[in-house]
Amino acid sequence: AVLADYEAEDATIVQGVVESNHAGFTGRGFVNYNNQTGSYVEWTVNGPGAVDLTFRFANGTTVNRPMDVTVNGTAVASGLAFNGTGAWTTWQTQTTRATLAAGENKIRATATTANGGPNVDKLIVNVPDNEPPTAP
Ligand code: GCU
């Protein structure tokens, strides 16, 4: 069950810019991470519960743009792959699982290479099918 979509352009953006020049995004645009290590987007999501964190992204290069994903500063995925999607207008998803604390959670996706992150459209928070739903 999809709980909610969180647009990247509405999140906290550090070393990135909101753009809309590549079609296929939802909302007002997407975040173009600066081409540098450490650039990040941080979303605020209410918990608690086990969730799948699905990032919708495009990578028009042929080189992986891995990112570390943390929840409240704790790593949930290290070097999560964001491989080339074939074009900046071709959007795919990448998912990692996490457990959210009660109340506000800070979910951060940080580029780990000098290429920066991919272009990120949004974060989709989903309750896995094998987990009982929790109140959002
Ligand atoms: C191009 C593309 C951007 C992308 C950038 C990059 O400039 O138009 O959308 O973010 O490459 O390599 O990160």
Side-chain angles (χ1 to χ4, degrees), residues 68-92:
D68 287 343
V69 179
T70 60
V71 175
N72 303 322
T74 298
V76 297
S78 183
L80 188 66
F82 291 88
N83 290 312
T85 58
W88 291 111
T89 50
T90 299
W91 300 86
Q92 297 180 355

Side-chain angles (χ1 to χ4, degrees), residues 57-77:
F57 74 100
N59 176 358
T61 78
T62 55
V63 178
N64 179 23
R65 297 229 177 152
M67 296 200 289
D68 287 343
V69 179
T70 60
V71 175
N72 303 322
T74 298
V76 297

Side-chain angles (χ1 to χ4, degrees), residues 19 21-22 30 32-35 61 65 88 115 117-119:
E19 292 180 341
N21 58 325
H22 298 300
F30 54 84
N32 171 354
Y33 280 65
N34 289 0
N35 299 119
T61 78
R65 297 229 177 152
W88 291 111
N115 288 327
N119 289 349

Side-chain angles (χ1 to χ4, degrees), residues 24 33 56 112 118 121 130 135:
Y33 280 65
R56 187 168 189 262
T112 65
D121 178 31
N130 61 344

Side-chain angles (χ1 to χ4, degrees), residues 12-35:
T12 298
I13 301 161
V14 173
Q15 295 166 349
V17 289
V18 176
E19 292 180 341
S20 56
N21 58 325
H22 298 300
F25 56 83
T26 62
R28 304 186 315 281
F30 54 84
V31 172
N32 171 354
Y33 280 65
N34 289 0
N35 299 119

